[in-house]
């Protein structure tokens, strides 16, 4: 079983917005090409005959990214001083398998610090496409100071002078932050600008930012059980040449809870799925608009399952329909969205986020 990321609190929809054009900025970093990336220091290189990790061009950006990336919400948040060996191993497995995308945020507790330390120790920092986020308002309208402090803190934690992508986290203060990020892109703090959300209620807002050409990437929730993003967001991304990151491809652990010990259908071998994680991840990867599917876990065994989705064929449209029909035959599939997140796993994630949430509940009791 595996887990995924992003903030669980609902946010008010952002209304209106200013019309923005994309700010063109030439990048000094060469286009991403996983096949030419050497293994991280201390890691055994894959044999030359091994199948390379699957990649895909990210819309009009000129980047080519691996189709699987590492997500870090909750799974990488530990209390200071806690043993991080399992998270270090999860990171190593992804890097060694050829995954070259990691997504994090200042909101993810100690996640940024762990990602930065692990990648630096592995000699892999410069090999990774690092996607970070800004969740910021300010002391007054259009105040940049809070966002700049967050950015500078992220630089220290992740040990990066600039980021490949900075995203407006959950559309917070999006009308102010997108223009600010476009300025940061022009000034060299980030190479690309994006917007994110994890809730279907915000798909229209995401799609509107994609359609106006103001962003290079959009991050949206999408899975075999929740295909709502197909209606507007993914279609708009294809039309505008915007890169797409997917969150919640395993529906916060609920898909694995649903299938339990059921065996994979025999047809899964036709697209190389060896376990349910690869079945679900390859479904999300195979949508024509999707660039990279983000999946997080704190379990090295689950990480090893996940990275297997980087190899082998992806399902075509007919196979995708067959996959959906199979899942629809499993009782509870149509109501999975009403089930609690991370079933049977809440006790695993006891970092600074959960500590603060528990403290607030106690104060209010």
């Amino acid at each position: 079983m595996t887990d995924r990321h992003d903030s669980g609190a609902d946010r008010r929809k952002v209304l209106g917005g200013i019309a923005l054009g994309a700010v063109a900025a030439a990048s000094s970093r060469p286009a991403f090409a996983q096949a030419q990336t050497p293994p991280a220091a201390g890691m055994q290189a894959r044999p030359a005959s091994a199948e390379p990790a699957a990649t895909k061009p990210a819309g009009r950006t000129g980047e080519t990214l691996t189709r699987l990336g590492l997500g870090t919400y909750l799974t990488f948040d530990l209390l200071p001083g806690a043993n991080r060996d399992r998270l270090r191993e999860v990171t190593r497995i992804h890097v060694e398998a050829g995954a070259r995308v990691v997504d994090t945020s200042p909101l993810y507790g100690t996640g940024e610090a762990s990602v930065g330390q692990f990648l630096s120790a592995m000699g892999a920092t410069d090999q990774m496409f690092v996607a970070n986020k800004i969740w910021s308002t300010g002391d007054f309208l259009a105040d940049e100071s809070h966002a700049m402090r967050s950015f500078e803190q992220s630089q220290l934690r992740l040990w990066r002078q600039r980021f490949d992508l900075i995203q407006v986290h959950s559309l917070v203060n999006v009308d102010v932050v997108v223009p600010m990020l476009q300025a940061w892109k022009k000034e060299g703090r980030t190479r690309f600008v994006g917007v994110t959300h994890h809730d279907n209620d915000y798909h229209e807002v995401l799609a509107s930012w994609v359609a106006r050409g103001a962003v290079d990437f959009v991050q949206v929730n999408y899975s075999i059980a929740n295909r709502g993003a197909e209606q507007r967001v993914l279609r708009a991304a294809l039309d505008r040449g915007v890169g797409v990151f997917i969150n919640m491809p395993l529906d916060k652990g609920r898909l694995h809870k649903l299938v339990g010990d059921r065996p994979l259908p025999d047809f899964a071998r036709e697209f190389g799925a060896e376990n349910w994680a690869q079945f679900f991840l390859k479904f999300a990867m195979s949508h024509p608009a999707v660039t990279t599917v983000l999946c997080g876990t704190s379990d090295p065994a689950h990480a090893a399952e996940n990275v297997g989705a980087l190899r082998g064929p992806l399902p075509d449209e007919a196979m995708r329909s067959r996959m959906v029909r199979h899942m629809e035959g499993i009782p509870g599939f149509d109501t999975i969205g009403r089930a609690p997140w991370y079933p049977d796993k809440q006790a695993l994630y006891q970092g600074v986020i959960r500590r603060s949430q528990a403290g607030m509940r106690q104060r209010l009791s």
Side-chain angles (χ1 to χ4, degrees):
M1 194 181 297
T2 44
D3 2 295
R4 258 298 306 139
H5 79 299
D6 260 270
S7 162
D10 286 338
R11 310 291 165 192
R12 280 186 294 176
K13 288 188 178 180
V14 181
L15 301 177
I18 57 177
L20 296 169
V23 177
S27 169
S28 60
R29 177 174 171 180
F32 173 94
Q34 184 276 329
Q36 299 176 357
T37 302
M43 293 185 180
Q44 181 178 359
R46 295 190 305 277
S49 60
E51 181 182 356
T55 61
K56 184 175 180 180
R60 66 174 188 267
T61 65
E63 294 290 297
T64 298
L65 303 179
T66 49
R67 304 200 70 150
L68 180 73
L70 178 61
T72 57
Y73 172 62
L74 283 187
T75 56
F76 269 56
D77 179 30
L78 294 175
L79 294 174
N83 188 296
R84 297 189 293 179
D85 288 349
R86 285 163 61 87
L87 299 185
R88 184 179 293 104
E89 180 65 5
V90 165
T91 306
R92 185 196 67 79
I93 288 168
H94 278 78
V95 174
E96 190 172 71
R100 292 294 183 267
V101 178
V102 62
D103 178 82
T104 190
S105 172
L107 262 72
Y108 296 170
T110 56
E112 281 184 315
S114 289
V115 169
Q117 196 276 327
F118 299 156
L119 293 181
S120 180
M122 293 174 190
T125 302
D126 293 336
Q127 300 176 23
M128 303 299 287
F129 185 96
V130 177
N132 206 1
K133 303 183 183 75
I134 288 288
W135 175 299
S136 175
T137 53
D139 290 332
F140 51 85
L141 185 64
D143 175 29
E144 188 181 19
S145 63
H146 293 196
M148 187 59 71
R149 284 197 298 272
S150 178
F151 172 78
E152 291 170 350
Q153 177 177 258
S154 293
Q155 285 181 305
L156 293 173
R157 290 174 171 176
L158 289 160
W159 210 241
R160 293 283 291 246
Q161 182 65 28
R162 69 170 179 170
F163 296 103
D164 297 293
L165 169 64
I166 300 182
Q167 306 155 97
V168 183
H169 199 155
S170 295
L171 295 169
V172 170
N173 199 24
V174 64
D175 296 308
V176 171
V177 178
V178 164
M180 180 189 72
L181 292 182
Q182 289 179 326
W184 286 10
K185 176 181 174 180
K186 186 176 181 180
E187 294 158 357
R189 293 185 176 91
T190 184
R191 299 174 60 226
F192 301 111
V193 174
V195 288
T196 84
H197 217 289
H198 58 277
D199 191 309
N200 288 28
D201 287 344
Y202 295 84
H203 286 182
E204 287 295 329
V205 186
L206 285 177
S208 72
W209 282 96
V210 171
R212 69 183 74 178
V215 297
D216 306 301
F217 284 85
V218 61
Q219 183 180 143
V220 65
N221 56 307
Y222 179 65
S223 74
I224 195 170
N226 183 355
R227 303 184 298 281
E230 294 176 353
Q231 298 175 18
R232 286 281 284 116
V233 181
L234 298 184
R235 185 179 306 169
L238 270 177
D239 291 344
R240 299 293 298 189
V242 168
V244 175
F245 283 179
I246 295 301
N247 61 54
M248 295 178 63
L250 307 182
D251 259 297
K252 303 289 189 183
R254 294 177 293 192
L255 281 168
H256 277 87
K257 179 70 172 179
L258 178 72
V259 297
D261 295 329
R262 288 179 174 84
L264 279 173
D266 290 341
F267 64 78
R269 67 170 63 99
E270 297 181 31
F271 53 92
E274 299 176 349
N275 50 62
W276 281 111
Q278 293 171 20
F279 184 93
F280 299 135
L281 291 172
K282 287 195 170 200
F283 178 87
M285 289 177 182
S286 61
H287 189 283
V290 171
T291 307
T292 298
V293 173
L294 303 169
C295 191
T297 182
S298 59
D299 188 327
H302 298 164
E305 290 185 352
N306 294 349
V307 298
L310 281 167
R311 268 79 191 179
L314 291 177
D316 59 17
E317 190 58 39
M319 180 59 75
R320 284 168 54 84
S321 297
R322 188 177 183 185
M323 295 166 75
V324 172
R325 289 195 303 271
H326 180 82
M327 293 303 299
E328 288 173 340
I330 299 177
F333 180 70
D334 59 340
T335 59
I336 195 171
R338 298 201 291 269
W341 287 6
Y342 306 115
D344 305 326
K345 303 180 77 171
Q346 289 290 346
L348 291 177
Y349 309 131
Q350 298 303 315
V352 298
I353 294 173
R354 291 301 194 221
R355 181 177 64 183
S356 295
Q357 291 173 333
M360 182 59 68
R361 287 194 297 269
Q362 184 176 15
R363 291 166 63 190
L364 294 173
S365 63

